[in-house]
Amino acid sequence: MAPPTVSLSFPHGGKSSFSGGLFINNEFVAAGDGKTFAVVNPSDGKEIAQVAEASAKDVDVAVKAARKAFNESWGLNVPGFKRGQLLIKLAELIEANLEEIAAIESLDNGKAFSIAKGFDITEVAANIRYYAGWADKNHGKVIEVDSSKLHIQRQEPMGVCGQIIPWNFPALMFAWKIGPALAMGNTIVLKTAEQTPLSALKMCELIKEAGFPPGVVNVISGFGPVAGAAIANHMDIDKVAFTGSTLVGRNILKAAASSNLKKVTLELGGKSPNIIFADADLDQAISWSAFGIMFNHGQCCCAGSRVYVEESIYEKFMAKFDEKIKSIQVGNPFEGNTFQGPQVSQLQYDRIMAYIDSGKKEGATLRTGGIRHGQEGYFIEPTVFTDVNPDSKIGREEIFGPVVVVHKFKDNADLIKKANDSVYGLAAAVFSRDVTRALDTANKLQAGTVWVNCYNQLNPQVPFGGFKQSGIGRELGEAALASYSQSKSIHVNLHAPNPM
Ligand code: ADP
């Protein structure tokens, strides 16, 4: 049976056509049982394509392909410089197809085309290039113990890595995952999110064109409880890397524990505090704070969703912040000045609206937004709540939408306590002109990333990941190489005396 074909027409003109099959062994194939599922345009809720739906059996076929490639044509069989060359070729092909991949991403996810092009897909290429550079810099160590022996530590690939990614940055999460894994010589079975499988499929064409051997990268579309769970439970996957909700992250860890104890890294949710001191540059703080929560329609695990403003500037801050939030352009992702498109799905739309309702019911003040935008699709007006009880649902839980709660604070010690009073610890931000205050505060915040006088800055070179229930391990930077490799210690006897 032939796999489905995806044929897209973009609202701003142009078309794209590629396979909607499972990408296994460098071929696009139908699911074993022939199943497919619909991909929906979140701007109007209409179906745009059908793609193959992987079952546990398909996952197994993909794992076998990945294992064979690891043993025969990748891993320690291919020198690092060669892996790096292939990654550079892939980055070049992504750059050559930037407009098309950005349009696919925008149509499938709902993010603005200009942002998909200028940020998401540009960063995809930058991340792949960054890890291409690491591929031949995997130097081991010689460890000094005593002169009778030589102790060598080398970093070897894990083997077959399962990777499960979310829908908020479909292409970028794909790059964050495959870059370090491939640089270190692993093979991959990656599952995209069921809401947004398309950009990865287009990039699979480019992986093949770049010349990666068959079976090195295998990408499947499918649902979490079936294909995702099959990856997490598989006995021949050596490591699983997951980005998504804390709830599912817990399931991944349990599945790893009850199967083969595969290594696990998790990048999970957040409810990140964003702190504005009275001495901050107000315009700068307002601009970055609006960006901090509303970028990507609030669908960022590191979104600055709890803003804390020092009491003496609170009224002034709020007046300007309201204005800034109201000025955000919500609408068609393919129109030039759009900043915010639709939420990704009906389910996410419903979840966010339920949070907004609960905020109203629990007595918070709705300053702006709180309603649907337009007549169709999953658009929500950027929403600001104040007078929020920190223990209410909107005060504590990750909303993952364009909804921010703003608190005021007076006392520094109390502020730190409140900012850290969360099960999460992914990110935080501090706005102040006083470098000592900013750094003292940054040091006291329980978060894997703290931004000072900015927000949402992510670079391939800089590690990213969570304290507390926001995750396990780090992505990006040199740190990610460690989670895609394992050290082997080799003890060599030079002239140690026989032990007995
Ligand atoms: P969201 O609720 O925002 O969709 P999820 O954490 O459910 O976030 O999804 C992130 C990724 O995890 C997706 O690729 C999804 O298919 C996958 N997933 C969901 N449930 C499971 C599960 N039980 N096991 C493995 N993967 C899952």
Side-chain angles (χ1 to χ4, degrees):
M1 191 195 306
T5 298
V6 176
S7 296
L8 306 175
S9 298
F10 303 119
H12 67 322
K15 288 182 187 313
S16 177
S17 182
F18 49 94
S19 178
L22 309 175
F23 184 70
I24 300 175
N25 255 330
N26 277 3
E27 300 299 333
F28 288 96
V29 296
D33 57 13
K35 273 194 175 175
T36 63
F37 65 96
V39 183
V40 165
N41 175 357
S43 291
D44 60 11
K46 296 199 175 111
E47 178 177 324
I48 45 174
Q50 287 278 329
V51 296
E53 178 184 334
S55 66
K57 275 195 184 150
D58 295 312
V59 168
D60 203 40
V61 174
V63 172
K64 288 202 168 79
R67 178 60 64 193
K68 188 165 188 294
F70 183 73
N71 289 340
E72 295 173 11
S73 56
W74 199 246
L76 299 172
N77 304 293
V78 179
F81 83 90
K82 177 76 185 157
R83 298 198 299 270
Q85 272 178 345
L86 290 170
L87 283 163
I88 286 170
K89 180 77 191 156
L90 177 60
E92 285 169 356
L93 287 169
I94 287 166
E95 280 157 353
N97 289 271
L98 194 98
E99 292 255 344
E100 185 180 347
I101 303 170
I104 295 167
E105 191 79 329
S106 176
L107 195 67
D108 193 7
N109 166 282
K111 65 179 71 203
F113 171 68
S114 60
I115 296 174
K117 187 177 153 192
F119 173 71
D120 294 68
I121 313 304
T122 301
E123 282 299 306
V124 167
N127 273 270
I128 302 282
R129 256 181 214 291
Y130 171 77
Y131 282 107
W134 274 117
D136 61 356
K137 294 166 192 69
N138 175 20
H139 305 153
K141 269 188 194 167
V142 171
I143 301 172
E144 168 81 33
V145 178
D146 68 57
S147 60
S148 71
K149 292 187 237 101
L150 181 66
H151 302 266
I152 302 165
Q153 183 192 343
R154 57 190 243 128
Q155 272 323 101
E156 296 188 2
M158 293 273 184
V160 176
C161 294
Q163 304 182 318
I164 301 173
I165 62 172
W167 44 259
N168 57 344
F169 294 95
L172 190 54
M173 291 303 104
F174 183 81
W176 281 25
K177 291 282 182 285
I178 71 165
L182 293 175
M184 295 307 281
N186 300 278
T187 58
I188 290 169
V189 176
L190 180 145
K191 190 191 86 61
T192 50
E194 51 270 43
Q195 299 84 350
T196 54
L198 300 183
S199 56
L201 290 172
K202 175 67 197 176
M203 289 192 284
C204 286
E205 264 184 13
L206 307 180
I207 284 170
K208 182 170 179 174
E209 193 181 334
F212 285 88
V216 172
V217 182
N218 304 279
V219 176
I220 58 171
S221 313
F223 290 85
V226 179
I231 289 175
N233 283 292
H234 205 285
M235 292 299 288
D236 199 32
I237 288 182
D238 301 293
K239 181 238 160 84
V240 63
F242 169 78
T243 299
S245 60
T246 295
L247 188 75
V248 174
R250 236 178 253 284
N251 289 336
I252 304 277
L253 205 52
K254 280 187 202 152
S258 58
S259 56
N260 62 342
L261 277 181
K262 54 178 70 62
K263 317 298 183 257
V264 179
T265 48
L266 303 173
E267 203 263 274
L268 307 173
K271 185 82 175 173
S272 299
N274 172 19
I275 297 162
I276 325 292
F277 284 106
D279 68 351
D281 174 327
L282 200 61
D283 286 340
Q284 181 188 43
I286 283 165
S287 172
W288 285 104
S289 299
F291 180 72
I293 177 63
M294 298 303 169
F295 178 61
N296 210 38
H297 329 165
Q299 304 169 137
C300 295
C301 45
C302 54
S305 50
R306 285 185 291 147
V307 175
Y308 292 86
V309 184
E310 194 160 0
E311 197 172 41
S312 60
I313 58 157
Y314 179 79
E315 296 303 335
K316 206 162 137 200
F317 178 93
M318 283 316 298
K320 286 195 165 191
F321 189 61
D322 284 345
E323 228 175 83
K324 187 81 187 170
I325 296 291
K326 283 185 189 145
S327 75
I328 290 173
Q329 289 290 325
V330 184
N332 180 345
F334 286 89
E335 264 167 28
N337 57 353
T338 294
F339 177 75
Q340 182 181 316
Q343 307 308 125
V344 77
S345 65
Q346 181 72 51
L347 179 65
Q348 281 305 118
Y349 174 89
D350 291 343
R351 282 179 179 165
I352 296 162
M353 290 312 273
Y355 273 115
I356 291 173
D357 272 353
S358 92
K360 289 188 205 158
K361 284 197 188 111
E362 288 182 294
T365 304
L366 177 65
R367 289 185 74 108
T368 185
I371 51 169
R372 175 187 205 116
H373 174 94
Q375 303 304 317
E376 58 173 11
Y378 314 131
F379 297 86
I380 297 178
E381 292 282 353
T383 300
V384 179
F385 278 106
T386 52
D387 308 311
V388 177
N389 174 353
D391 290 323
S392 64
K393 271 174 85 67
I394 63 163
R396 289 220 157 265
E397 295 179 19
E398 181 178 44
I399 300 175
F400 224 64
V403 181
V404 65
V405 303
V406 188
H407 303 280
K408 58 176 105 143
F409 73 91
K410 226 198 282 196
D411 166 70
N412 270 22
D414 184 45
L415 162 75
I416 297 294
K417 211 165 124 222
K418 283 180 177 150
N420 286 336
D421 181 18
S422 169
V423 296
Y424 296 116
L426 191 56
V430 184
F431 287 84
S432 170
R433 284 193 173 100
D434 179 337
V435 71
T436 307
R437 176 181 293 151
L439 290 181
D440 267 350
T441 309
N443 285 344
K444 287 178 185 142
L445 289 167
Q446 296 164 345
T449 294
V450 182
W451 290 293
V452 176
N453 295 332
C454 59
Y455 209 99
N456 278 339
Q457 300 306 290
L458 297 167
N459 302 94
Q461 300 84 348
V462 186
F464 179 75
F467 280 26
K468 298 194 273 186
Q469 293 183 34
S470 286
I472 298 176
R474 293 290 175 268
E475 299 203 76
L476 301 183
E478 194 175 352
L481 304 175
S483 56
Y484 284 102
S485 61
Q486 47 198 342
S487 89
K488 177 182 279 178
S489 301
I490 302 177
H491 299 245
V492 183
N493 179 5
L494 299 177
H495 43 73
N498 291 345
M500 57 190 294

